[in-house]
Amino acid sequence: MNKNTFYESMNNMFRDKFRNIHTIKPCVVTKNNGFTVNVRPLTTTKYRDGQQLPIPEIPDVPLMIYSGTKGGARVTVPVVEGDTVVVLCSDRDVGNLFESTVNTNSIFPSDEYTPLELYPIMAIPMFFTEPEGKPVDTKNIVIENGSTKITVKPSGDIDIDTPANINVNVAGDASVDVGGNLNATVGGNANVAVTASVTLSGTSVTVDSPQTTFTGNVSIAGLAAVTGALTAATIDSDNVSLDNHTHDYTWTDPAGSGTTNPPN
């Protein structure tokens, strides 16, 4: 065997070995199982005879979830069939790892002798090909889901845009501190239902409305200034009716007394 034939044989041997080394694979999701996905690799393996052989579908690959505190704190995104993912492969068999609970003292034996085989450890969503790419905001942090978008700007401003509803459910207390002005524009009705008392404090309060209705009693501790007409079914002051009250009176020569009629 001459020198060139030896090197060629060695080169072919290493190439044959390297074809079975698995590190990172671009894949497409074929099924979402909850916290794992079935994926199909998007590339083939080319052999010396020119064959292009696909890698079979890989089942139950754990989804990469940005998480901490044993899953108590996490950020998730919906992953659906047809999404692209990058599958990372472990350099050692991870079968026993995935079937066990992990703690700080955990260590798991490998059942396989060969390293760098197809040992998928996680699927990271997602990557975009050039025809499918979407522009990325180069200045702001943007969170999008469908037509809803939250934009966090370096100035500190936060913009929330949604064509639908915003629902906030708070089991405890809710506090809002506004250092500047608070402006709200409501295109429909504004309804606030409070089971206990309501306190509104301010240097002055202006209610600008063509009509204001109070369905219960109204108590005013200070003065009440009315610049327009005051209309009421009855007005009582110190248990005296303004509509139905009378006055007693007396006269002399000859002496007498009487009671006025109610006002009309």
Side-chain angles (χ1 to χ4, degrees):
M1 179 182 294
N2 61 38
K3 184 176 181 180
N4 290 336
T5 304
F6 173 77
Y7 282 135
E8 184 179 349
S9 298
M10 293 295 292
N11 188 38
N12 288 335
M13 182 189 72
F14 281 118
R15 284 188 177 182
D16 290 342
K17 288 293 184 181
F18 289 158
R19 286 189 186 96
N20 293 320
I21 292 177
H22 303 279
T23 55
I24 300 173
K25 296 195 176 300
C27 298
V28 63
V29 174
T30 58
K31 183 183 179 184
N32 188 321
N33 305 310
F35 60 89
T36 68
V37 288
N38 297 356
V39 300
R40 180 176 57 80
L42 292 169
T43 56
T44 62
T45 300
K46 185 177 181 179
Y47 291 86
R48 277 185 288 163
D49 59 2
Q51 288 189 88
Q52 298 272 357
L53 298 181
I55 299 173
E57 181 174 296
I58 308 171
D60 292 323
V61 181
L63 273 170
M64 201 265 333
I65 299 176
Y66 190 63
S67 179
T69 64
K70 304 290 286 185
R74 62 179 188 165
V75 178
T76 66
V77 296
V79 177
V80 299
E81 180 181 332
D83 280 351
T84 53
V85 293
V86 175
V87 173
L88 304 185
C89 296
S90 173
D91 59 352
R92 298 294 186 272
D93 170 45
V94 290
N96 290 321
L97 165 64
F98 285 152
E99 294 174 356
S100 308
T101 300
V102 178
N103 57 54
T104 55
N105 298 316
S106 296
I107 187 167
F108 302 97
S110 297
D111 290 338
E112 303 292 337
Y113 290 105
T114 308
L116 299 173
E117 288 285 343
L118 187 57
Y119 306 134
I121 191 168
M122 72 172 65
I124 304 175
M126 62 178 292
F127 69 89
F128 295 92
T129 61
E130 186 172 346
E132 300 173 316
K134 298 178 64 177
V136 175
D137 194 316
T138 59
K139 296 181 179 179
N140 307 310
I141 297 174
V142 179
I143 301 173
E144 293 183 79
N145 189 12
S147 55
T148 298
K149 182 169 69 173
I150 301 175
T151 304
V152 182
K153 302 179 179 180
S155 63
D157 291 349
I158 299 176
D159 297 337
I160 301 176
D161 300 293
T162 177
N165 303 323
I166 296 179
N167 302 308
V168 180
N169 298 308
V170 181
D173 298 334
S175 299
V176 179
D177 294 323
V178 180
N181 298 324
L182 177 61
N183 301 301
T185 301
V186 180
N189 297 324
N191 301 303
V192 179
V194 180
T195 57
S197 62
V198 177
T199 300
L200 180 62
S201 300
T203 56
S204 65
V205 177
T206 301
V207 178
D208 186 0
S209 173
Q211 181 173 329
T212 304
T213 301
F214 296 91
T215 58
N217 299 326
V218 178
S219 299
I220 300 175
L223 300 176
V226 180
T227 57
L230 180 62
T231 302
T234 61
I235 299 178
D236 295 336
S237 176
D238 197 19
N239 295 323
V240 177
S241 171
L242 183 63
D243 290 342
N244 301 313
H245 76 282
T246 59
H247 293 277
D248 295 329
Y249 64 96
T250 61
W251 65 86
T252 60
D253 195 19
S257 63
T259 301
T260 61
N261 293 323
N264 53 37

